[in-house]
Amino acid sequence: MNEKKKQATKQITVKEKLQGELASWQTKIDIAKLQMQLGTKEVNQKIQPHVEQLEQELIHAKAKWEQLEVASEAASKDIKRGVSKSIKSMKMAFEKIEKAFSR
């Protein structure tokens, strides 16, 4: 396989991985919203800001992922970093939600 085909295959794999992670985060956000509906007012007030942050980061990550679909190879690296940064932020916000529910 020539170098261009290897690079294209690698980029497709990375895109699929990122798409899977974004889908996973959407599920986690949906679960957090459901838990909010079932939780007490106090718990809701504690986690609402974190859920909102999760949603904003997911929107940002999805927008970056869509850019990745049409980006050149050089731009892809920057976009991947942006998506990774959003995923890291979502993880931190989700950990705060989990702490609120464990109390």
Side-chain angles (χ1 to χ4, degrees):
M1 188 180 296
N2 68 29
E3 192 60 36
K4 283 188 176 185
K5 286 185 180 181
K6 285 181 184 178
Q7 191 65 20
T9 301
K10 182 179 176 182
Q11 190 166 356
I12 290 169
T13 302
V14 169
K15 288 178 184 178
E16 289 172 350
K17 179 183 175 194
L18 290 174
Q19 186 176 20
E21 284 189 56
L22 294 177
S24 174
W25 279 107
Q26 181 65 60
T27 301
K28 288 178 181 183
I29 290 170
D30 292 342
I31 290 169
K33 285 180 171 180
L34 178 61
Q35 289 174 335
M36 281 179 47
Q37 290 175 356
L38 300 174
T40 65
K41 185 176 180 179
E42 181 181 325
V43 171
N44 288 346
Q45 290 174 341
K46 286 182 182 178
I47 67 169
Q48 180 65 34
H50 304 298
V51 170
E52 289 173 1
Q53 180 185 359
L54 276 170
E55 289 180 310
Q56 289 303 312
E57 289 295 341
L58 183 60
I59 289 167
H60 182 262
K62 285 181 177 180
K64 287 288 186 185
W65 186 85
E66 288 174 7
Q67 290 176 356
L68 186 61
E69 285 291 295
V70 296
S72 67
E73 184 178 325
S76 292
K77 291 178 183 178
D78 289 335
I79 294 169
K80 288 176 202 172
R81 277 192 290 261
V83 172
S84 295
K85 183 179 175 184
S86 291
I87 290 172
K88 184 177 179 179
S89 294
M90 286 186 287
K91 181 178 180 180
M92 290 170 40
F94 194 76
E95 287 171 356
K96 290 176 184 176
I97 292 171
E98 287 178 323
K99 285 180 185 177
F101 276 110
S102 65
R103 292 181 185 169

